Amino acid sequence: ESNLHGFSCIRAARASMAAQGLGWCILPSALVEEFAGSGSLVALDIAGWPRVISTDLLWNKKAPPGEAGSWLRQHLQGHRCE
């Protein structure tokens, strides 16, 4: 959990620096939307973005995913890119 929190802090720091005019960065759309109301961050229209990222999905057969994990699995499997 602390690693996930660390990633959140890093993304928030990047967003904050970009909002202050210190450059640009790649951020999740939801994080950009948090700053969009103030106009300090905007999504750039760049060819090839957003990128499609391949993701492997693994789970333990002895301890199958719960409701949220099952939803995520179905959602990801419904958005396959070949």
Side-chain angles (χ1 to χ4, degrees):
E1 186 173 322
S2 62
N3 285 341
L4 293 177
H5 178 70
F7 283 120
S8 297
C9 289
I10 291 169
R11 287 180 178 158
R14 287 180 184 165
S16 179
M17 288 188 290
Q20 294 174 45
L22 297 174
W24 64 273
C25 58
I26 299 169
L27 295 168
S29 298
L31 191 54
V32 173
E33 290 169 6
E34 287 183 31
F35 288 85
S38 66
S40 57
L41 284 183
V42 295
L44 300 176
D45 186 18
I46 299 174
W49 287 85
R51 295 185 302 173
V52 174
I53 300 172
S54 296
T55 303
D56 294 323
L57 181 61
L58 307 170
W59 63 91
N60 185 335
K61 288 185 177 183
K62 293 180 181 178
E67 188 175 335
S70 296
W71 175 88
L72 179 61
R73 177 180 159 200
Q74 291 172 356
H75 180 76
L76 291 174
Q77 287 177 325
H79 291 84
R80 287 185 178 189
C81 296
E82 300 292 331

